[in-house]
Every structure is written in C-alpha cells, then in structure tokens.
C-alpha cells in the first residue's frame, strides 16, 4: 500500500484547491439542477471539503505555533467575506451566510481546546479521562451552536468533522489511516447533505504520504489562504459584471 502513497501534502492541497475552484465556478455561472452544475458542484467540488478538513486538523496537531494558524484563518476569513458574498449572492455584502474560513477558524479553536483537556488528563491523574472527554464534547457542542447561529459555511457539519478527526488523530498520533479520517468527514457531510460525492476524497487521501517531508516557501505556505479570496473575487466580478 505504501507504493500507492504518491501525493505529498502540497500536491494534495493543490488538488483540493482545483476541486474547490470547480465548485465555485458551478455556483457562480450555472443554473442549479443542470448537468454541468451538478458535475462541477458535486461530482468534483464536493471532495474538496473532506480533504481540507483532514489537512487543517493535521496541521494544527503538528504545528509549534497553533495561534498563528488561528490568526491567519481569522484574517483571511474577514478578507474573504466580500468575495464570498459576491459569488454566493451577487452583491458585495450579505450576512445570510459566512465563508468557510470562519468554519476552519472555529473548528481549529475546538481542536486546540480539546487538546488542552486531553493533555491535562494525561498529565494530572486526578482528572479522569472520562471528564476530559465529556468536557471536550461539551466544547464541540457549544461551537456547533455558534457555527449554526453565525451561519458559517457547512455550519456544525464542519465543526463535528474536525473535532472527530482530531480525536482519532490525537489518540493515534496521526499514524492512523488517512482514508479513515476522510471517511469520517465524507460520512458526516454525505449523510447531512444526502450525497455520495464526498467519498471520492477518501480515494485521494489513500494516496497521501503523510510521512514525506516537503520543504515549502512562505508563498507556498500561504498559497491556499491567498487563493481563496482571490479566486472568489475574480469569479464574483465575472459573474456580476460580465456573464
């Protein structure tokens, strides 16, 4: 099976970015219910979400500067809101829904708080593992409510998926099958959205070599953060003023 793991983190991230681009093109330029809309948004685009969920949680587990990731998510969530509204609603500002960067921000925050509880259980024998687990689930529930009320993209689906990925990853030190992590997200999203098109992401995660070191530049590191608002802004302008 190791011979099949041919994708490093950057390659998998860029594939997910391409799938996300397909999703947003379908959203902006094609009528809902048409074949091309369905192919772009579901057959292709739906696989981006599970991949990003796994990569974001993996990153917050390994990083030595978790609050930098939180800061970056929040900054780019704010920068992406106008482009997101342009694509989603055809206007510059709308509070009906918020972009997925807010979902990542809330989900990563849940993961960090959960880690604090679980680490405390490991260090302090007076704190039972059951108590730590219940406290972590309570935090997840609170943030699911926040995500629902704030109407962030994927609402509580994204928060639950990231939380469960982190629990499995924490217990196994991310030495588990990444296909399993993908299945967690694909099942939750697929069940809530009534679609099977989240599961192709699992096949891509089977090809992910998480042990392969990849040196990245600052530009590569922030490529997704930059790509997200930029491509939404371009698509939004085209949809509002050209097509």
């Amino acid at each position: 099976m190791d011979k099949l793991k041919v994708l490093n983190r950057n390659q998998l991230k860029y594939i997910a970015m391409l799938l996300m681009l397909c999703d947003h093109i379908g959203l902006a330029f094609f009528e809902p219910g048409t074949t091309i809309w369905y192919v772009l948004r579901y057959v292709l685009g739906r696989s981006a979400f599970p991949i990003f969920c796994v990569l974001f949680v993996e990153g917050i587990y390994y990083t030595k500067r978790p609050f930098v990731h939180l800061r970056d998510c929040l900054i780019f969530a704010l920068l992406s809101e106008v482009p997101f509204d342009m694509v989603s609603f055809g206007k510059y500002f709308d509070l009906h829904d918020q972009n997925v960067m807010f979902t990542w921000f809330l989900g990563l925050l849940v993961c960090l708080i959960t880690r604090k509880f679980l680490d405390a259980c490991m260090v302090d024998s007076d704190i039972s593992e059951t108590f730590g687990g219940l406290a972590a689930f309570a935090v997840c529930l609170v943030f699911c409510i926040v995500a629902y009320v704030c109407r962030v993209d994927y609402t509580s689906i994204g928060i639950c998926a990231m939380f469960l990925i982190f629990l499995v990853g924490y217990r196994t030190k991310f030495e588990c099958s990444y296909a399993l992590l993908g299945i967690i997200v694909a099942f939750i999203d697929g069940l809530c959205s009534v679609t099977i098109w989240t599961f192709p992401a699992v096949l891509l995660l089977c090809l992910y070599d998480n042990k392969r070191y990849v040196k990245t530049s600052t530009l590569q590191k922030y490529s997704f953060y930059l790509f997200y608002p930029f491509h939404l802004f371009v698509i939004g302008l085209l949809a509002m003023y050209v097509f």
Side-chain angles (χ1 to χ4, degrees):
M1 290 295 294
D2 287 342
K3 293 181 180 180
L4 297 177
K5 296 181 178 181
V6 295
L7 296 176
N8 60 44
R9 182 179 176 85
N10 283 341
Q11 291 166 339
L12 185 59
K13 180 174 67 175
Y14 292 138
I15 290 172
M17 289 164 64
L18 179 60
L19 294 173
M20 179 176 64
L21 177 62
C22 292
D23 181 18
H24 293 154
I25 289 174
L27 174 64
F29 300 121
F30 296 97
E31 288 293 327
T34 59
T35 300
I36 187 65
W37 175 88
Y38 188 82
V39 169
L40 289 171
R41 299 219 63 203
Y42 282 86
V43 178
L44 297 175
R46 205 71 187 186
S47 291
F49 179 69
I51 295 171
F52 279 127
C53 268
V54 172
L55 292 182
F56 264 94
V57 176
E58 180 198 42
I60 206 72
Y61 177 82
Y62 284 118
T63 185
K64 296 179 180 178
R65 300 189 299 167
F67 292 102
V68 172
H69 283 270
L70 284 176
R71 179 204 66 192
D72 292 341
C73 275
L74 183 57
I75 290 173
F76 281 92
L78 296 172
L79 291 175
S80 302
E81 190 56 26
V82 169
F84 175 79
D85 290 338
M86 292 168 64
V87 173
S88 299
F89 308 109
K91 51 187 176 181
Y92 289 108
F93 190 70
D94 193 300
L95 290 176
H96 187 269
D97 289 312
Q98 277 49 257
N99 71 81
V100 77
M101 280 290 184
F102 286 108
T103 311
W104 305 135
F105 173 76
L106 294 175
L108 292 180
L109 197 53
V110 170
C111 292
L112 289 178
I113 296 173
T114 298
R115 186 169 196 165
K116 289 292 184 182
F117 282 126
L118 297 179
D119 286 347
C121 295
M122 298 282 288
V123 174
D124 191 343
S125 58
D126 292 333
I127 303 177
S128 70
E129 192 170 346
T130 302
F131 174 79
L134 290 175
F137 273 101
V139 169
C140 179
L141 178 60
V142 169
F143 276 88
C144 282
I145 295 172
V146 172
Y148 179 80
V149 171
C150 295
R151 300 185 65 89
V152 300
D153 205 10
Y154 286 94
T155 60
S156 54
I157 297 173
I159 308 302
C160 288
M162 294 177 75
F163 175 71
L164 291 176
I165 288 172
F166 185 81
L167 284 182
V168 175
Y170 182 90
R171 288 300 181 190
T172 62
K173 297 182 179 179
F174 275 89
E175 293 179 357
C176 58
S177 166
Y178 275 66
L180 172 62
L181 300 181
I183 287 172
I184 292 172
V185 191
F187 181 77
I188 294 174
D189 186 23
L191 186 64
C192 295
S193 305
V194 194
T195 179
I196 63 171
W197 293 110
T198 51
F199 286 93
V202 178
L203 300 177
L204 289 169
L205 286 165
C206 287
L207 305 178
Y208 176 39
D209 182 2
N210 61 304
K211 294 181 174 62
R212 186 172 301 172
Y213 176 75
V214 182
K215 186 175 181 180
T216 58
S217 65
T218 302
L219 181 59
Q220 286 177 310
K221 180 180 177 181
Y222 285 99
S223 59
F224 168 68
Y225 291 111
L226 294 167
F227 177 77
Y228 186 70
F230 177 76
H231 90 277
L232 284 175
F233 185 69
V234 172
I235 291 174
L237 285 178
L238 291 173
M240 290 172 66
Y241 298 110
V242 178
F243 295 98

